[in-house]
Every structure is written in structure tokens, then in C-alpha cells.
Amino acid sequence: MVDLKYSTNRRKISEGVTVLHNLKKSETGLEYIETKVLEIESNKFFEGNTADQEVCIVILTGKATVVAGEKEFKHLGTRENVFEKIPTDSVYISINEKFKIVAETKSKIIICYSPAKEKRETRLIAASDNSIENRGIKNNKRLVHNILPDDVMIPENLLVVEVYTDSGNWSSYPPHKHDQNNLPEESLLEETYYHEMNPSQGFVFQRVYTDDLSLDETMTVENGDVVVVPKGYHPVGVPDGYDSYYLNIMAGPIRKWKFYNDPKHEWILKRKD
């Protein structure tokens, strides 16, 4: 049984570049997703190669330049703290491309990876390209920034989204899952959650469970943790006094987000009072 929660493991890989997470499929047991989180000091850089994967580089905080092939995107990034609650800039890069991320100011970057076969165009996903949604009612409210939703056809496999959940609310709730390749009722998508809290000493609770409870784990998740969801339902509860941010990466054999609610809790959606 692999772990579902991964705490920050700071590792300096070059001058001014620190890896906070480098979650490979061999470690997590996932088939479709890998995740890297970096801190890069001003004027320092990170270089990579997509090889047989496509990537989405999200500028979580700070400002950076991304170079991929002959394309260069300067002055990316819109915020110093994710809890400014404004969309940020991202870059999509296809297979077999070298890339370079140069920090213009101290930056935190997340790189989302998924296997791919098609050669596609490197694209800027500007902050203004993000669609913004307010979801939920009562204590089930959250703010969503869609970076790569399933109706944006830039990538082959990746789906990427940011979610804000205010104090005392629940997210990814009522509990839902997407672990069956059974469209149009449900799609098979693995998922990872990169979590931050405000104030940063806070925590949230996340449960990952299947119908038969062969997988049933409830975790105390702290600032900077990554939670892996190979299958099952995966709700998040945010305690009073703290706000939650998470970035989701999803990928699977078909790039469609179609979830299935836990029938025991679906009544929550039908309340009228």
C-alpha cells in the first residue's frame, strides 16, 4: 500500500533552486500523474525536459519567464500569495521539449506532468484565460479557477484547476469519485491535491475512501502537503479560522471530468432550506 499524503521534503538541487515535492509514479503508484513543486530564488533557473510527458507549469507565486523551444513567455505570475484569490499564468508544453523556468522574483512553481503521445503547440494560459466559478451552497462553498478544464482542448490528457474553500466549509463535497471508465456516467481520472492554508499553521481534513472501504484513510493535511487520490471519494473539510487553497491535477485514459456522487450523501445537494 503506497502513501496517500506527502509532506514537504525540501531538497536543494542547484544554487537558488529547491524542490519541495518530486512525486514520481514509481513512488505514488499513479499511472497518469507526476508532480513537482519548486521554489526558485530571483534570477535563478530550473531546466527540464518533457520527454514522453506533457506538462503544465503553473506560477503559484512570484514572477518568472518560461522558455520552451523557440517560445519565450516573460513576466508570468500575478500574485505574491495564493490567497490573493486571483488567477495566475501558466504554460502548456507538449512532449519532447526542453524548457527553462527563470525566476524574475522569488517564485513558487508547480509542474504538472502526464504521459502523452501527440505533439501539440506550446501555449501560454494567461490568467485572463482562466474561467472562474463559484460552486456550492450553505457550508459547501468554494471558488474555482479553471486553468485547464475539460472543455479547453490545449492538452492531450491534463486537467488543472485551483480551488479556494473558506473557513468552516467543505470542498470536493458531497463526496464524489471518478475512478470508473464508464462514460457518460463516470470517467476514470487520477488526481492529486497540492494544499496550502491561510494562516499557514492551519490544517484541513481529507478522507479518501471507496464504496467497499478497502481504501479508507482520513488525513490531517498541513500547509504544503500533497494528497494522492488513486481512486475513491475524496472530500476536504476546512476548520473554523482557516482558509484552504488546493491545486488539482487530474489525468486518465479519457480527458473528461464526469464524477459520481456518493449516493449516501447526495441528498445534501437537494436541500431546499
Side-chain angles (χ1 to χ4, degrees):
M1 179 68 181
V2 298
D3 293 332
L4 298 185
K5 186 183 79 169
Y6 297 85
S7 298
T8 300
N9 182 18
R10 300 181 67 90
R11 182 169 59 88
K12 184 176 177 179
I13 59 170
S14 63
E15 185 62 33
V17 181
T18 300
V19 175
L20 307 182
H21 290 280
N22 187 23
L23 297 178
K24 298 289 191 179
K25 291 181 286 185
S26 58
E27 181 178 3
T28 64
L30 297 181
E31 183 178 352
Y32 296 101
I33 297 172
E34 295 187 340
T35 307
K36 191 187 301 287
V37 184
L38 302 170
E39 281 184 354
I40 308 177
E41 297 294 331
S42 178
N43 297 318
K44 304 302 181 182
F45 64 89
F46 171 82
E47 292 182 297
N49 190 322
T50 62
D52 59 353
Q53 296 178 300
E54 60 181 1
V55 307
C56 179
I57 299 170
V58 182
I59 314 300
L60 292 174
T61 57
K63 284 199 173 293
T65 293
V66 175
V67 180
E70 297 180 355
K71 293 192 175 183
E72 182 178 44
F73 306 100
K74 295 182 177 180
H75 314 312
L76 303 183
T78 62
R79 59 203 185 195
E80 292 303 309
N81 188 301
V82 295
F83 288 98
E84 293 175 32
K85 294 187 176 180
I86 57 175
T88 191
D89 301 311
S90 306
V91 175
Y92 169 79
I93 307 173
S94 189
I95 57 173
N96 299 318
E97 284 280 6
K98 293 181 180 179
F99 64 89
K100 185 176 183 178
I101 306 168
V102 183
E104 298 173 22
T105 66
K106 183 177 180 179
S107 302
K108 185 181 289 184
I109 311 288
I110 188 164
I111 309 178
C112 318
Y113 297 82
S114 184
K117 296 180 180 179
E118 297 178 10
K119 183 65 175 176
R120 299 200 174 194
E121 181 185 358
T122 295
R123 295 278 296 272
L124 171 66
I125 307 156
S128 57
D129 294 331
N130 286 203
S131 59
I132 300 174
E133 298 178 60
N134 287 286
R135 295 181 188 164
I137 61 172
K138 297 182 180 292
N139 293 100
N140 186 28
K141 295 176 183 176
R142 57 264 196 225
L143 169 67
V144 179
H145 296 162
N146 291 302
I147 298 171
L148 285 176
D150 63 0
D151 61 350
V152 171
M153 306 312 293
I154 293 171
E156 183 179 339
N157 292 313
L158 281 169
L159 298 130
V160 182
V161 62
E162 296 184 306
V163 180
Y164 295 90
T165 310
D166 290 342
S167 169
N169 279 263
W170 286 77
S171 199
S172 297
Y173 191 81
H176 69 259
K177 70 181 183 75
H178 34 75
D179 59 12
Q180 299 294 320
N181 193 358
N182 185 33
L183 288 167
E185 284 75 28
E186 183 179 356
S187 57
L188 194 166
L189 294 171
E190 298 173 340
E191 188 165 16
T192 61
Y193 283 67
Y194 167 74
H195 287 273
E196 291 195 15
M197 288 87 200
N198 185 36
S200 61
Q201 72 268 26
F203 58 88
V204 300
F205 297 109
Q206 185 159 20
R207 184 186 182 195
V208 179
Y209 68 98
T210 54
D211 286 306
D212 63 3
L213 300 184
S214 59
L215 173 61
D216 186 8
E217 186 168 341
T218 300
M219 294 156 279
T220 303
V221 181
E222 297 185 304
N223 191 67
D225 287 353
V226 172
V227 171
V228 168
V229 183
K231 60 182 177 178
Y233 307 98
H234 40 274
V236 176
V238 183
D240 180 46
Y242 295 91
D243 294 334
S244 158
Y245 163 91
Y246 55 78
L247 184 138
N248 285 140
I249 309 168
M250 291 182 281
I254 299 174
R255 192 175 177 270
K256 186 69 177 177
W257 185 53
K258 182 66 175 178
F259 59 86
Y260 174 82
N261 291 316
D262 186 337
K264 296 191 297 295
H265 305 297
E266 196 168 27
W267 67 270
I268 291 167
L269 295 172
K270 302 172 184 177
R271 290 174 295 173
K272 295 181 180 180
D273 55 5

